[in-house]
Structure formats: structure tokens, C-alpha cells
Amino acid sequence: TELLDLKSNPDRPAEGIVVESKIEQSRGSVATVLVQRGTLRIGDIFVAGSEWGRVRAMVDSHGENIEEAGPSVPVEVLGLNGTPAAGDEVAVVENEARAREVVDFRQRRRRDKKAAARARGTLEQMFEKIKEGSDLQALSAVIKADVHGSVEAIMGTLDSMGTEEVKVEVLHSGVGGINESDVTLAKASGALILGFNVRANPQARDLARRDNVEIRYYSIIYSLIDDLKAALSGMLAPTIKENLLGYAEIREVFSVSKVGKIAGCMVTEGLVRRGAKVRLVRDDTVIHEGEMSQLKRFKDDVKEVKDSTECGMGFANYQDIQVGDMVECFETEEIAREL
């Protein structure tokens, strides 16, 4: 400040910025404000983002009550009607009517912006899904935290976790304890409730128990993120891995009454296994993919036949087999994916 010769006028209505905000049971909405210009005094009517209030009390960094705060002074301000967002600008206004007018305009603009974004996002997502044929899965959640900074940090991390297949859809986020309206919203939307350093009130707990709404409490942000990451990973479609077992060549085709056609084969590579999946290849072109229904060695049913051994094969719901066709035998396994 000395090197740059920075100065501010203390003799004017105060302006500043919200550093953090929270709700305390005994004090209501509390905002930590850094005064940048002017002087903030007890009784001043001010606007903070889309909330307003009258300065009822101010507490400095030492926990002492003070009457006024000048430029570069951080204070906790009591008297707000709601909880502003961290980063919101604070400005003292001349009267309550002006404060209400500014706040009404800002709240209306914010609602319109949210509604437009939601409608645009919903339509765009719907058209994208139709175009791509994709099925995006969403994990719905209601998030409540002790301070606005925690809500912002959680929301930012959850946004970055989403993929084209799965995402966390935050239906509502806010500062303060979990109440009945949060539980009602979660019940209607099939969402879970995440509480960070907050708890549900007794009425909300009873309602959640009755409606089978899950409430999870966290005090470490990484634990919350890890749990949601695990939940999203479980929603991802597994990767299908194909393991090639072997090849066989059809040498003869037999017609058996009540059974249909049976292929007399020679295993030329690896092995073939009953119950495995098969592809029939004719002239280097796959003509059928299905399951092997029968595998015989002479007249006996066997589980598998190895390389350079003759066997008889039957294919489920498929009869168009010819001498010279190749049988490709394989198994598939599902591998769980992680974000």
C-alpha cells in the first residue's frame, strides 16, 4: 500500500465484498465483509448481492464488537435477511425502499437466468441424446453446508467429475442445516441429501426416516467426493472384454432328428468350451454370432475340447452351417470402470 500509494476515501457510503457467509442458529445470517471504500456503521442499510439488511452488529477479527469499519477492515456483519454468496459486492444504500428495489431486481434477473439456462440445457441435452442415442445417467443430490465457500468448492468439484455417461445433478444447494423442505425435494426427485458440517433438524430426520430418504453427513470434503465418485463409477456401464479361446473347422455336417444340425469339427487352435460364445466365419466373413448349445466327444457330452481333437458342436437357434466354415470360440467378461 505504501509503495503503490493506494488510498481510499473513508468519508462516503461503504462499499466492499463478501468474503464468506454462513447461518448461525443464534445470530442468523452472518457475512464476513471486507470494506474497500467508505465506512460501514451500525444501522446502515446495505445490499449484498441479491440479499439486503440493516447492520445490527459488527464483530472484528479479534471477536470484539465495533461501531464502524473503515477501508481494508474485515468484519462479520449481522442483520442480513438472507445468505449472500462469497464474492458478492456490498454497498450501502440510502433507505430500505431502495434496498428492496435493488434486491428484487437482482433476484428476478437471477431466477430468469437460471430458468433460461435450465430450459436451454434441458432441450440441448435432449436433442443431443436423441442425435447420439446416448443414455446419460444422473445421480441426484441436495447439498447443504456450513458456509457458502464449502458449497462452491463441492459444486465445482462435482461439475468436473461429470462425463458424457454419468454426472451428479444438484437439485438444490444452500447454507445451513437440513430442513423438511430439503427432505421433501429429495423424496420427490429420488435424490440423496449430503450434509457438510451441518445436521438435519429433528423434524427433517423423522421425515427422512419415514420417506426412506438417505442423508449422509461429512466433515471432510475429500470423503464426500470419494463417495460420490464411487457411486458414479458404479453407474458407468462396464467394459466388455473379449477373451479368444480357440478355432475349429467344420469337417462334416450331420442332421439329427429332434436336435437339428450338428457340426463335426476339428479344433485347429486353442480350445472350445461348452456354453461359450461362438462366431461362424465363412469366406472370412462373420455370418452368425451366438452360443454353443452342445459339445460332444464321440457320444459323450464334454465341457471342453482341446487343440487337434475332433468334436461335435450344436449351435443355439442356428442351422445354416456348411463344411469349411470356421468356428471362432470366445468368452466375454465385464470389467468395472472407474472415473
Side-chain angles (χ1 to χ4, degrees):
T1 305
E2 290 177 2
L3 288 172
L4 298 175
D5 194 29
L6 299 178
K7 294 180 180 179
S8 181
N9 178 16
D11 302 320
R12 52 159 291 170
E15 290 182 6
I17 196 162
V18 176
V19 178
E20 187 57 281
S21 61
K22 58 186 175 181
I23 296 177
E24 293 188 4
Q25 193 167 1
S26 56
R27 302 197 295 172
S29 292
V30 180
T32 303
V33 174
L34 177 62
V35 179
Q36 295 172 312
R37 289 175 291 277
T39 301
L40 187 64
R41 296 180 173 86
I42 299 285
D44 281 350
I45 296 170
F46 68 103
V47 173
S50 55
E51 306 294 343
W52 74 278
R54 183 189 295 271
V55 180
R56 197 170 71 239
M58 289 189 291
V59 180
D60 66 12
S61 56
H62 303 291
E64 301 291 333
N65 285 313
I66 57 175
E67 296 293 320
E68 59 181 36
S72 79
V73 177
V75 286
E76 279 191 337
V77 178
L78 282 68
L80 279 157
N81 291 346
T83 311
D88 279 350
E89 293 183 353
V90 174
V92 170
V93 293
E94 56 271 20
N95 53 47
E96 189 175 314
R98 177 61 178 161
R100 288 179 184 276
E101 182 186 343
V102 172
V103 166
D104 286 346
F105 171 75
R106 288 181 177 176
Q107 287 181 348
R108 190 165 58 250
R109 189 174 63 178
R110 188 174 66 174
R111 280 196 303 268
D112 292 346
K113 195 174 179 181
K114 277 187 178 179
R118 193 181 303 119
R120 185 172 61 249
T122 304
L123 286 173
E124 286 174 356
Q125 288 166 11
M126 185 177 70
F127 287 133
E128 282 297 320
K129 283 185 195 176
I130 293 169
K131 193 187 299 179
E132 298 171 9
S134 62
D135 186 17
L136 177 69
Q137 294 200 61
L139 175 66
S140 300
V142 174
I143 296 173
K144 298 298 286 288
D146 54 344
V147 294
H148 192 269
S150 298
V151 175
E152 282 190 328
I154 293 167
M155 295 281 286
T157 308
L158 295 185
D159 283 344
S160 65
M161 279 169 52
T163 68
E164 292 179 356
E165 295 179 61
V166 294
K167 70 170 186 175
V168 178
E169 184 178 5
V170 180
L171 303 174
H172 171 67
S173 63
V175 176
I178 298 164
N179 53 40
E180 293 136 292
S181 63
D182 297 325
V183 177
T184 303
L185 175 61
K187 168 67 176 174
S189 309
L192 58 89
I193 299 175
L194 307 174
F196 185 77
N197 283 337
V198 294
R199 291 293 182 269
N201 61 36
Q203 294 85 357
R205 285 199 301 271
D206 291 342
L207 189 60
R209 203 175 297 118
R210 192 187 72 199
D211 292 342
N212 292 319
V213 174
E214 184 178 5
I215 301 177
R216 295 189 183 184
Y217 299 121
Y218 298 92
S219 57
I220 301 171
I221 196 166
Y222 300 109
S223 299
L224 184 152
I225 299 304
D226 287 346
D227 275 8
L228 288 183
K229 191 176 286 186
L232 286 182
S233 297
M235 292 166 64
L236 284 171
T239 300
I240 307 297
K241 183 183 177 183
E242 185 178 298
N243 298 319
L244 184 65
L245 297 176
Y247 292 95
E249 183 184 352
I250 298 178
R251 300 280 177 88
E252 293 286 344
V253 177
F254 306 99
S255 292
V256 180
S257 59
K258 298 183 181 178
V259 175
K261 289 185 177 180
I262 297 293
C265 303
M266 170 66 76
V267 180
T268 58
E269 184 182 329
L271 59 86
V272 293
R273 185 175 292 150
R274 188 177 64 204
K277 294 182 181 294
V278 291
R279 292 190 187 96
L280 277 176
V281 181
R282 184 179 299 163
D283 299 327
D284 296 327
T285 303
V286 176
I287 59 170
H288 170 69
E289 183 173 322
E291 290 187 0
M292 187 191 303
S293 58
Q294 295 185 64
L295 181 61
K296 289 181 180 290
R297 176 88 173 115
F298 299 110
K299 291 185 178 182
D300 300 324
D301 288 319
V302 291
K303 288 186 177 180
E304 66 180 39
V305 178
K306 296 184 178 178
D307 187 15
S308 303
T309 308
E310 293 180 337
C311 61
M313 291 185 196
F315 305 107
N317 305 317
Y318 193 75
Q319 301 292 311
D320 182 22
I321 53 178
Q322 296 179 12
V323 175
D325 289 350
M326 293 296 294
V327 180
E328 185 179 271
C329 185
F330 65 97
E331 289 181 332
T332 57
E333 62 174 319
E334 293 185 351
I335 301 173
R337 291 163 60 197
E338 294 183 358
L339 282 176

